[in-house]
Amino acid sequence: MPPYRAPRGTRDLLPETRAGLSRLEEIARSLSIRYGYRLMEIPLFEQTAVFERGIGEATDVVEKELFRIAPRTEDSESWALRPEATAGIVRAFVQHGMHTRPQPVKLTVVGPMFRYDRPQAGRYRQFYQWDAEAIGDPGPAVDAEVIEMGRRFYVEAGVPDVQVLVNSIGDSACRPAYLVKLKAYFAAHATELPEPEQRRLELNPLRLLDSKDPAMAALVAAAPKISDCLCEACAAHLSSVLAHLDAVGVPHRVEPTLVRGLDYYARTAFEFYRQGAEGQQQALGGGGRYDGLVELLGGRPTPAIGFALGLDRVLLALEEVAAEAVVEAPPLAIVAGADPADTVSRLRVASLLRAEGLSVRAELSARKLGRQLETASKEHAHFAVIIGDELAEGNVQLKDLEAGTQRLVPLADLARELARAAKSHHHG
RNA sequence: GUGGCCUUAGCUCAACGGCAGAGCAUCGGAAUGUGGAUCCGAAGGUUAUGGGUUCGAAACCCAUAGGCCACCCCA
């Protein structure tokens, strides 16, 4: 009914929700520091080619979900809003010659991503991710470290029952042979495949493995397993990742059908998964190793691994377990006045307190005192500073709204008194 | 991109072919210098939008938009 609404698939984060997101961002920032990742920013959009090359032209993300920006002129380059952060981070890594920094370079980005998808609960066209990338270390230990950091995020955020699923999808040495085998297997059963699956057989046979079609279950179960086809190096890498996970006490499950939709993954693939009550957006986050991406985007061959965690879905999961909503700190005090017309005194006193670093809400509307105090209660202010005739002698009333007591305080002492009261308030 | 369900005040919902309502929230009054309770009042609507059927449509039909659900895919 309002003439303008937030575009489809986007939503306004009202203060209550924004506070929850801030809390998650704070946890992400804290973990980044503890694990040695450095926060950075990349543009919300890139040349389309960064995503086409970096993610893969045949992927759904690029093929149908890319948020393309209409070019301003015929010959201007084509841009798209970022559907994920990895490609942009790697582009920046190459552009700024970060291979000259001590390896691995550990980078992290928190912010909105965009996919032109059909919206659903927990799936938006603008959504928020915490993305972390460790670029320049080929070893399995860093894989486990990344996974452990992701897992700890859910623990500290308070999301229960998050499972860690791990798999290896091989590398250039062994995956091609496996794909041939897999393709041959499904081709032999082509007549049993539902229509949409037939198309994927050609385009992306790996994805047949995690089909949710019940008709596929038996077929998938009997399909050749990548774990049986890994080359020696990949197999050793996987078992070492698992050993490191055990060493840091991260419970995990090897999921042979776990594959990733994006082209650049190799070897380690993992997912953070939660069996939700209703809405089926169960993938809370995922990631993997992408040893070929840096080279693909113009850098020298550099191994890398990272993850992307969906913050909207964490927020949803927290709602589901009825975690208490995050409340923003209410103002310490409200500045009210006996004379509704005297906004000058109220603004002056409020300004004075704010200069001392105190958080106060000034009641500046010309409402009578009772209404001003009513607002103070609704805003959960701890104190009210009441300005009246006593100001002539340099005094104001300081009222403790929870105790219901009040006393006369010289204006000169007000900031100090309030700060002291706030302190004892927080400790009591 | 495919299919299904839904849409009435800021929010949660009534009215089910016959005068569009309630609770909560908002604003004001009771109470002109003292708050969360109570009472009274006001404001808030082209019933998502556009068409159709009907003496009469919030209700029935069609289209569009948005939300949700299942796919596709993913965070």
Side-chain angles (χ1 to χ4, degrees):
Chain A
M1 190 160 330
Y4 302 108
R5 288 192 295 196
R8 180 169 201 199
T10 71
R11 66 218 199 284
D12 302 306
L13 300 181
L14 303 187
E16 303 76 42
T17 314
R18 173 67 244 209
L21 181 61
S22 297
R23 175 176 162 268
L24 296 185
E25 288 172 336
E26 195 42 57
I27 295 171
R29 187 167 303 123
S30 161
L31 283 170
S32 297
I33 292 168
R34 277 182 272 164
Y35 282 76
Y37 287 75
R38 301 190 65 191
L39 197 61
M40 69 176 292
E41 294 290 338
I42 52 173
L44 295 193
F45 60 94
E46 298 273 353
Q47 290 177 51
T48 310
V50 171
F51 303 126
E52 286 172 342
R53 299 220 62 197
I55 298 172
E57 312 223 17
T59 58
D60 276 33
V61 167
V62 166
E63 213 170 53
K64 61 176 205 187
E65 295 172 6
L66 209 55
F67 233 111
R68 296 169 192 279
I69 298 174
R72 298 187 63 95
T73 62
E74 284 294 321
D75 53 352
S76 66
E77 49 189 334
S78 117
W79 294 309
L81 299 181
R82 61 187 191 191
E84 46 103 65
T86 306
I89 291 174
V90 169
R91 191 227 80 228
F93 176 89
V94 173
Q95 177 178 337
H96 300 287
M98 288 197 257
H99 63 279
T100 63
R101 301 186 180 206
Q103 306 285 299
V105 180
K106 295 160 97 177
L107 303 168
T108 178
V109 163
V110 183
M113 307 294 159
F114 305 85
R115 288 184 200 177
Y116 195 82
D117 207 356
R118 187 144 165 185
Q120 223 173 93
R123 198 176 70 185
Y124 308 102
R125 288 182 172 182
Q126 175 175 339
F127 58 102
Y128 295 83
Q129 281 189 342
W130 173 33
D131 185 286
E133 312 289 348
I135 305 174
D137 185 341
V142 70
D143 298 23
E145 186 190 44
V146 163
I147 293 170
E148 191 222 351
M149 178 168 75
R151 157 92 188 167
R152 192 174 297 282
F153 175 80
Y154 297 110
V155 170
E156 296 194 359
V159 185
D161 309 324
V162 175
Q163 297 178 26
V164 178
L165 273 37
V166 188
N167 194 25
S168 174
I169 57 171
D171 64 8
S172 56
C174 52
R175 187 149 46 143
Y178 171 70
L179 285 180
V180 168
K181 211 164 158 183
L182 187 68
K183 225 162 151 175
Y185 168 80
F186 279 114
H189 297 82
T191 49
E192 304 162 48
L193 293 180
E195 206 290 309
E197 310 292 355
Q198 304 228 5
R199 255 184 322 108
R200 297 162 90 187
L201 179 56
E202 282 312 310
L203 291 172
N204 202 345
L206 258 192
R207 297 224 57 90
L208 286 169
L209 287 178
D210 63 354
S211 167
K212 290 183 199 96
D213 193 326
M216 294 282 295
L219 218 49
V220 167
K225 296 199 174 15
I226 179 78
S227 46
D228 300 328
C229 304
L230 293 176
C231 61
E232 213 169 294
C234 283
H237 188 95
L238 177 60
S239 64
S240 180
V241 170
L242 300 181
H244 281 88
L245 286 177
D246 286 333
V248 287
V250 173
H252 56 270
R253 204 176 77 219
V254 176
E255 180 60 62
T257 63
L258 171 65
V259 297
R260 307 249 92 217
L262 314 184
D263 277 0
Y264 53 60
Y265 285 101
R267 291 194 173 165
T268 309
F270 58 92
E271 207 161 87
F272 299 105
Y273 185 89
R274 182 181 138 75
Q275 193 80 262
E278 281 298 322
Q280 298 302 304
Q281 298 325 322
Q282 295 162 337
L284 293 183
R289 181 162 278 284
Y290 50 94
D291 291 348
L293 182 59
V294 176
E295 191 176 5
L296 208 60
L297 291 180
R300 60 184 62 181
T302 309
I305 183 163
F307 65 53
L309 307 191
L311 302 184
D312 311 80
R313 290 183 180 178
V314 171
L315 251 23
L316 265 185
L318 289 175
E319 229 169 78
E320 195 180 290
V321 293
E324 68 275 27
V326 183
V327 283
E328 291 165 285
L332 173 63
I334 177 174
V335 178
D339 175 6
D342 182 12
T343 50
V344 168
S345 298
R346 273 173 272 163
L347 187 59
R348 221 186 78 223
V349 171
S351 169
L352 199 136
L353 296 174
R354 288 161 176 163
E356 296 299 319
L358 300 171
S359 162
V360 305
R361 172 182 167 117
E363 276 302 311
L364 297 177
S365 67
R367 307 200 303 166
K368 62 183 185 181
L369 183 58
R371 294 290 184 199
Q372 297 178 44
L373 291 172
E374 194 179 328
T375 300
S377 296
K378 286 176 181 164
E379 296 286 325
H380 301 107
H382 296 141
F383 301 95
V385 174
I386 300 167
I387 300 167
D389 295 335
E390 54 274 58
L391 189 62
E393 284 84 50
N395 295 320
V396 297
Q397 294 286 351
L398 176 57
K399 175 165 187 160
D400 183 323
L401 287 167
E402 273 152 45
T405 56
Q406 76 179 50
R407 62 201 167 86
L408 203 62
V409 172
L411 187 56
D413 300 340
L414 182 60
R416 197 174 337 121
E417 289 288 326
L418 249 181
R420 214 190 47 171
K423 216 166 170 187
S424 68
H425 192 96
H426 286 132
H427 292 127

PDB file of all heavy atoms in Angstrom, chain A residues 4 10 41 55 76 97 100 117 148 188 211 232 241 260 268 288 292 339 361 363 390 402:
ATOM      1  N   TYR A   4       6.125   3.205  -2.134  1.00  0.00           N
ATOM      2  CA  TYR A   4       7.458   2.653  -2.373  1.00  0.00           C
ATOM      3  C   TYR A   4       7.768   1.574  -1.353  1.00  0.00           C
ATOM      4  O   TYR A   4       7.459   1.722  -0.171  1.00  0.00           O
ATOM      5  CB  TYR A   4       8.519   3.756  -2.300  1.00  0.00           C
ATOM      6  CG  TYR A   4       8.258   4.865  -3.279  1.00  0.00           C
ATOM      7  CD1 TYR A   4       7.817   6.106  -2.846  1.00  0.00           C
ATOM      8  CD2 TYR A   4       8.426   4.655  -4.649  1.00  0.00           C
ATOM      9  CE1 TYR A   4       7.557   7.128  -3.753  1.00  0.00           C
ATOM     10  CE2 TYR A   4       8.174   5.661  -5.560  1.00  0.00           C
ATOM     11  CZ  TYR A   4       7.733   6.901  -5.113  1.00  0.00           C
ATOM     12  OH  TYR A   4       7.469   7.885  -6.001  1.00  0.00           O
ATOM     13  N   THR A  10      14.998  -7.784  -0.946  1.00  0.00           N
ATOM     14  CA  THR A  10      15.791  -6.995  -0.001  1.00  0.00           C
ATOM     15  C   THR A  10      14.909  -6.659   1.182  1.00  0.00           C
ATOM     16  O   THR A  10      13.694  -6.770   1.109  1.00  0.00           O
ATOM     17  CB  THR A  10      16.288  -5.675  -0.611  1.00  0.00           C
ATOM     18  OG1 THR A  10      15.175  -4.785  -0.768  1.00  0.00           O
ATOM     19  CG2 THR A  10      16.945  -5.905  -1.953  1.00  0.00           C
ATOM     20  N   GLU A  41      38.239  -4.114   2.759  1.00  0.00           N
ATOM     21  CA  GLU A  41      37.025  -3.844   1.986  1.00  0.00           C
ATOM     22  C   GLU A  41      37.345  -3.963   0.509  1.00  0.00           C
ATOM     23  O   GLU A  41      38.439  -3.595   0.065  1.00  0.00           O
ATOM     24  CB  GLU A  41      36.492  -2.431   2.268  1.00  0.00           C
ATOM     25  CG  GLU A  41      35.988  -2.213   3.689  1.00  0.00           C
ATOM     26  CD  GLU A  41      34.699  -2.954   4.004  1.00  0.00           C
ATOM     27  OE1 GLU A  41      33.961  -3.306   3.052  1.00  0.00           O
ATOM     28  OE2 GLU A  41      34.439  -3.183   5.201  1.00  0.00           O
ATOM     29  N   ILE A  55      34.401 -17.418 -10.941  1.00  0.00           N
ATOM     30  CA  ILE A  55      33.415 -18.343 -10.388  1.00  0.00           C
ATOM     31  C   ILE A  55      33.093 -19.437 -11.393  1.00  0.00           C
ATOM     32  O   ILE A  55      32.872 -20.589 -11.021  1.00  0.00           O
ATOM     33  CB  ILE A  55      32.129 -17.581  -9.991  1.00  0.00           C
ATOM     34  CG1 ILE A  55      32.475 -16.556  -8.912  1.00  0.00           C
ATOM     35  CG2 ILE A  55      31.076 -18.539  -9.480  1.00  0.00           C
ATOM     36  CD1 ILE A  55      31.342 -15.618  -8.573  1.00  0.00           C
ATOM     37  N   SER A  76      30.974   1.255 -22.549  1.00  0.00           N
ATOM     38  CA  SER A  76      31.514   1.149 -21.193  1.00  0.00           C
ATOM     39  C   SER A  76      31.607  -0.317 -20.791  1.00  0.00           C
ATOM     40  O   SER A  76      30.909  -1.170 -21.324  1.00  0.00           O
ATOM     41  CB  SER A  76      30.648   1.929 -20.210  1.00  0.00           C
ATOM     42  OG  SER A  76      29.380   1.346 -20.117  1.00  0.00           O
ATOM     43  N   GLY A  97      49.711  -6.934  -5.630  1.00  0.00           N
ATOM     44  CA  GLY A  97      50.954  -7.669  -5.458  1.00  0.00           C
ATOM     45  C   GLY A  97      51.139  -8.234  -4.059  1.00  0.00           C
ATOM     46  O   GLY A  97      52.232  -8.189  -3.489  1.00  0.00           O
ATOM     47  N   THR A 100      53.900 -10.549  -2.312  1.00  0.00           N
ATOM     48  CA  THR A 100      55.168 -10.121  -1.706  1.00  0.00           C
ATOM     49  C   THR A 100      55.054  -9.999  -0.193  1.00  0.00           C
ATOM     50  O   THR A 100      56.019  -9.679   0.476  1.00  0.00           O
ATOM     51  CB  THR A 100      55.609  -8.761  -2.266  1.00  0.00           C
ATOM     52  OG1 THR A 100      54.628  -7.786  -1.903  1.00  0.00           O
ATOM     53  CG2 THR A 100      55.759  -8.819  -3.772  1.00  0.00           C
ATOM     54  N   ASP A 117      18.193 -13.943  -7.343  1.00  0.00           N
ATOM     55  CA  ASP A 117      17.590 -15.247  -7.154  1.00  0.00           C
ATOM     56  C   ASP A 117      16.136 -15.051  -6.775  1.00  0.00           C
ATOM     57  O   ASP A 117      15.710 -13.940  -6.470  1.00  0.00           O
ATOM     58  CB  ASP A 117      18.332 -15.956  -6.016  1.00  0.00           C
ATOM     59  CG  ASP A 117      18.270 -17.459  -6.157  1.00  0.00           C
ATOM     60  OD1 ASP A 117      17.604 -17.935  -7.088  1.00  0.00           O
ATOM     61  OD2 ASP A 117      18.901 -18.135  -5.332  1.00  0.00           O
ATOM     62  N   GLU A 148      38.068 -24.643  11.755  1.00  0.00           N
ATOM     63  CA  GLU A 148      37.894 -24.465  13.198  1.00  0.00           C
ATOM     64  C   GLU A 148      37.395 -23.051  13.508  1.00  0.00           C
ATOM     65  O   GLU A 148      36.547 -22.860  14.372  1.00  0.00           O
ATOM     66  CB  GLU A 148      39.208 -24.711  13.948  1.00  0.00           C
ATOM     67  CG  GLU A 148      39.009 -24.807  15.450  1.00  0.00           C
ATOM     68  CD  GLU A 148      40.079 -24.089  16.258  1.00  0.00           C
ATOM     69  OE1 GLU A 148      41.089 -23.646  15.681  1.00  0.00           O
ATOM     70  OE2 GLU A 148      39.876 -23.953  17.478  1.00  0.00           O
ATOM     71  N   ALA A 188      24.948 -44.550 -18.143  1.00  0.00           N
ATOM     72  CA  ALA A 188      24.432 -45.909 -18.240  1.00  0.00           C
ATOM     73  C   ALA A 188      23.035 -46.013 -17.637  1.00  0.00           C
ATOM     74  O   ALA A 188      22.253 -46.893 -17.968  1.00  0.00           O
ATOM     75  CB  ALA A 188      25.383 -46.885 -17.538  1.00  0.00           C
ATOM     76  N   SER A 211      21.875 -34.262  -5.431  1.00  0.00           N
ATOM     77  CA  SER A 211      20.465 -34.094  -5.806  1.00  0.00           C
ATOM     78  C   SER A 211      19.567 -34.508  -4.650  1.00  0.00           C
ATOM     79  O   SER A 211      19.843 -35.463  -3.932  1.00  0.00           O
ATOM     80  CB  SER A 211      20.155 -34.962  -7.018  1.00  0.00           C
ATOM     81  OG  SER A 211      18.767 -35.046  -7.198  1.00  0.00           O
ATOM     82  N   GLU A 232      46.965 -40.018  -4.758  1.00  0.00           N
ATOM     83  CA  GLU A 232      47.647 -40.211  -3.478  1.00  0.00           C
ATOM     84  C   GLU A 232      47.785 -38.899  -2.713  1.00  0.00           C
ATOM     85  O   GLU A 232      47.528 -38.819  -1.520  1.00  0.00           O
ATOM     86  CB  GLU A 232      49.023 -40.810  -3.736  1.00  0.00           C
ATOM     87  CG  GLU A 232      49.485 -41.748  -2.649  1.00  0.00           C
ATOM     88  CD  GLU A 232      50.729 -42.516  -3.086  1.00  0.00           C
ATOM     89  OE1 GLU A 232      50.633 -43.332  -4.028  1.00  0.00           O
ATOM     90  OE2 GLU A 232      51.789 -42.251  -2.479  1.00  0.00           O
ATOM     91  N   VAL A 241      43.917 -33.225   6.899  1.00  0.00           N
ATOM     92  CA  VAL A 241      42.940 -32.232   7.360  1.00  0.00           C
ATOM     93  C   VAL A 241      42.121 -32.814   8.512  1.00  0.00           C
ATOM     94  O   VAL A 241      41.943 -32.178   9.553  1.00  0.00           O
ATOM     95  CB  VAL A 241      41.998 -31.797   6.210  1.00  0.00           C
ATOM     96  CG1 VAL A 241      40.855 -30.959   6.756  1.00  0.00           C
ATOM     97  CG2 VAL A 241      42.764 -31.015   5.153  1.00  0.00           C
ATOM     98  N   ARG A 260      30.815 -28.743  -4.496  1.00  0.00           N
ATOM     99  CA  ARG A 260      30.572 -27.307  -4.476  1.00  0.00           C
ATOM    100  C   ARG A 260      30.164 -26.854  -5.861  1.00  0.00           C
ATOM    101  O   ARG A 260      30.631 -27.385  -6.859  1.00  0.00           O
ATOM    102  CB  ARG A 260      31.824 -26.561  -4.023  1.00  0.00           C
ATOM    103  CG  ARG A 260      32.376 -27.051  -2.716  1.00  0.00           C
ATOM    104  CD  ARG A 260      32.193 -26.021  -1.636  1.00  0.00           C
ATOM    105  NE  ARG A 260      30.963 -26.181  -0.900  1.00  0.00           N
ATOM    106  CZ  ARG A 260      30.231 -25.176  -0.466  1.00  0.00           C
ATOM    107  NH1 ARG A 260      30.562 -23.952  -0.743  1.00  0.00           N
ATOM    108  NH2 ARG A 260      29.148 -25.390   0.224  1.00  0.00           N
ATOM    109  N   THR A 268      39.888 -29.841  -0.616  1.00  0.00           N
ATOM    110  CA  THR A 268      38.989 -29.694   0.532  1.00  0.00           C
ATOM    111  C   THR A 268      37.734 -28.888   0.207  1.00  0.00           C
ATOM    112  O   THR A 268      37.808 -27.770  -0.293  1.00  0.00           O
ATOM    113  CB  THR A 268      39.729 -28.997   1.690  1.00  0.00           C
ATOM    114  OG1 THR A 268      40.962 -29.682   1.916  1.00  0.00           O
ATOM    115  CG2 THR A 268      38.894 -29.003   2.949  1.00  0.00           C
ATOM    116  N   GLY A 288      36.066 -23.866   0.918  1.00  0.00           N
ATOM    117  CA  GLY A 288      36.924 -24.903   0.401  1.00  0.00           C
ATOM    118  C   GLY A 288      38.212 -24.323  -0.149  1.00  0.00           C
ATOM    119  O   GLY A 288      38.456 -23.118  -0.055  1.00  0.00           O
ATOM    120  N   GLY A 292      43.480 -22.979  -7.832  1.00  0.00           N
ATOM    121  CA  GLY A 292      43.714 -22.473  -9.185  1.00  0.00           C
ATOM    122  C   GLY A 292      43.254 -21.050  -9.417  1.00  0.00           C
ATOM    123  O   GLY A 292      43.527 -20.465 -10.463  1.00  0.00           O
ATOM    124  N   ASP A 339       9.310  23.148  32.206  1.00  0.00           N
ATOM    125  CA  ASP A 339       8.688  24.106  31.303  1.00  0.00           C
ATOM    126  C   ASP A 339       8.824  23.599  29.876  1.00  0.00           C
ATOM    127  O   ASP A 339       9.917  23.641  29.307  1.00  0.00           O
ATOM    128  CB  ASP A 339       9.385  25.469  31.449  1.00  0.00           C
ATOM    129  CG  ASP A 339       8.846  26.484  30.445  1.00  0.00           C
ATOM    130  OD1 ASP A 339       7.865  26.159  29.733  1.00  0.00           O
ATOM    131  OD2 ASP A 339       9.421  27.586  30.373  1.00  0.00           O
ATOM    132  N   ARG A 361      19.332  11.204  26.095  1.00  0.00           N
ATOM    133  CA  ARG A 361      18.277  11.553  25.152  1.00  0.00           C
ATOM    134  C   ARG A 361      17.660  12.850  25.635  1.00  0.00           C
ATOM    135  O   ARG A 361      17.202  12.945  26.779  1.00  0.00           O
ATOM    136  CB  ARG A 361      17.231  10.444  25.107  1.00  0.00           C
ATOM    137  CG  ARG A 361      15.996  10.813  24.299  1.00  0.00           C
ATOM    138  CD  ARG A 361      14.951   9.707  24.306  1.00  0.00           C
ATOM    139  NE  ARG A 361      13.687  10.197  23.799  1.00  0.00           N
ATOM    140  CZ  ARG A 361      13.083   9.741  22.698  1.00  0.00           C
ATOM    141  NH1 ARG A 361      13.635   8.763  22.014  1.00  0.00           N
ATOM    142  NH2 ARG A 361      11.934  10.252  22.303  1.00  0.00           N
ATOM    143  N   GLU A 363      14.736  15.447  25.634  1.00  0.00           N
ATOM    144  CA  GLU A 363      13.329  15.597  25.268  1.00  0.00           C
ATOM    145  C   GLU A 363      13.131  17.022  24.774  1.00  0.00           C
ATOM    146  O   GLU A 363      13.077  17.961  25.567  1.00  0.00           O
ATOM    147  CB  GLU A 363      12.434  15.314  26.472  1.00  0.00           C
ATOM    148  CG  GLU A 363      12.136  13.858  26.691  1.00  0.00           C
ATOM    149  CD  GLU A 363      11.476  13.206  25.479  1.00  0.00           C
ATOM    150  OE1 GLU A 363      10.498  13.776  24.952  1.00  0.00           O
ATOM    151  OE2 GLU A 363      11.964  12.146  25.043  1.00  0.00           O
ATOM    152  N   GLU A 390      14.800  25.460  39.830  1.00  0.00           N
ATOM    153  CA  GLU A 390      16.037  25.366  40.592  1.00  0.00           C
ATOM    154  C   GLU A 390      17.266  25.655  39.748  1.00  0.00           C
ATOM    155  O   GLU A 390      18.354  25.829  40.277  1.00  0.00           O
ATOM    156  CB  GLU A 390      16.168  24.001  41.276  1.00  0.00           C
ATOM    157  CG  GLU A 390      16.046  22.797  40.369  1.00  0.00           C
ATOM    158  CD  GLU A 390      14.607  22.344  40.147  1.00  0.00           C
ATOM    159  OE1 GLU A 390      13.807  23.167  39.662  1.00  0.00           O
ATOM    160  OE2 GLU A 390      14.278  21.190  40.467  1.00  0.00           O
ATOM    161  N   GLU A 402      14.683   3.791  38.191  1.00  0.00           N
ATOM    162  CA  GLU A 402      14.366   2.447  38.656  1.00  0.00           C
ATOM    163  C   GLU A 402      14.053   2.437  40.142  1.00  0.00           C
ATOM    164  O   GLU A 402      13.143   1.763  40.598  1.00  0.00           O
ATOM    165  CB  GLU A 402      15.493   1.474  38.315  1.00  0.00           C
ATOM    166  CG  GLU A 402      15.299   0.890  36.918  1.00  0.00           C
ATOM    167  CD  GLU A 402      16.594   0.485  36.251  1.00  0.00           C
ATOM    168  OE1 GLU A 402      17.440  -0.145  36.908  1.00  0.00           O
ATOM    169  OE2 GLU A 402      16.746   0.811  35.046  1.00  0.00           O
TER     170      GLU A 402
END
